Amino acid sequence: MTQVIAIDGPSASGKSTVAKAVAKRLGFFYVDSGSIYRGITWHALENEVDIHDADAVIQNTRSADWVFRAEQNVAVFSINGYTPTDELRTARLSEAVSDVASMPKVRAFVNDRLRELTGLGSLTIDGRDIGSVVFPDTPYKFYLDADPAERAQRRYRELVETGEAEKAQEVLESLKRRDAKDSSREEAPLKVADGAYVINSTSMTIDEVVQAVIDKVEGDLR
Ligand code: DC
């Protein structure tokens, strides 16, 4: 039977690293749901669509040819034949994406794609509402958190590695702005899903978090 492991939480809580590693260890496909919101935002910006105009954004999204496929154990997509990667991580796009992700029709589009992806096999998906809205019936729900200062440090180190370093204080401010938008929006706000297993990773290593998720999933499967 296909299984879904939902890993939700705020920005830079380690969700994607953990979800990817858990997927690999269990032989599941890894799905980064935030990258689909980022892809929609990127495609809108490319076509010079007003990203505050929800009708224009959804029309631009629906009229594109989206193809999802598996590459190794990761689900990836192309939009009109092109697979954006680094373009999805720019500071401009990171600021814009929270507004696009608050649009109900955009969320419905993403949720349909995520549910279709179960056709690939078992999935580990990271996001904000995977356990609360997209797959509320999955028994494997995790909420990964860490203190804001620690999350800002982690994001800062990532940005330094990719040569996109902003000042540490700016990283913290931008993170807080996004958390506030993602948690306060009306549609599917970031929250702990009913029955989710909460892990605060502030003083844990990635391996410890991965092991905690696997222990919980395997304990439940036993
Ligand atoms: O995880 P991320 O930073 O790549 O997510 C990008 C944006 O999309 C962020 O503003 C939160 C939003 N998002 C969402 O609302 N629901 C999801 N399931 C995943 C991401």
Side-chain angles (χ1 to χ4, degrees), residues 48-203:
E48 296 183 3
V49 168
D50 174 3
I51 56 138
H52 297 105
D53 180 343
D55 287 338
V57 171
I58 193 63
Q59 204 186 333
N60 184 64
T61 304
R62 287 193 189 131
S63 61
D65 180 28
W66 289 76
V67 177
F68 286 81
R69 64 186 192 282
E71 242 175 43
Q72 317 274 8
N73 75 317
V74 180
V76 296
F77 59 83
S78 61
I79 309 172
N80 293 339
Y82 181 72
T83 300
T85 52
D86 293 348
E87 297 95 324
L88 301 183
R89 306 277 144 201
T90 63
R92 178 176 179 226
L93 199 139
S94 295
E95 279 299 325
V97 65
S98 308
D99 289 326
V100 170
S102 68
M103 297 171 176
K105 286 180 183 163
V106 165
R107 302 203 70 81
F109 176 90
V110 174
N111 295 350
D112 287 348
R113 302 289 84 71
L114 292 172
R115 291 179 187 125
E116 282 166 11
L117 282 171
T118 54
L120 288 177
S122 292
L123 309 175
T124 301
I125 311 181
D126 77 58
R128 304 293 189 290
D129 63 339
I130 306 305
S132 57
V133 173
V134 194
F135 292 98
D137 296 332
T138 182
Y140 311 118
K141 298 181 191 179
F142 296 86
Y143 186 92
L144 199 54
D145 208 350
D147 294 348
E150 170 63 20
R151 292 191 287 116
Q153 270 304 314
R154 290 178 189 171
R155 175 55 48 88
Y156 179 69
R157 283 196 293 269
E158 248 173 49
L159 291 171
V160 168
E161 265 170 40
T162 57
E164 267 229 44
E166 300 168 67
K167 294 206 179 72
Q169 188 58 29
E170 281 168 21
V171 174
L172 180 61
E173 295 303 323
S174 147
L175 206 78
K176 283 186 174 167
R177 258 196 317 276
R178 281 212 288 149
D179 283 353
K181 277 191 192 171
D182 292 338
S183 314
S184 64
R185 67 175 178 230
E186 251 169 61
E187 186 84 7
L190 170 66
K191 63 171 188 181
V192 180
D194 281 347
Y197 185 67
V198 180
I199 302 175
N200 186 317
S201 71
T202 307
S203 48

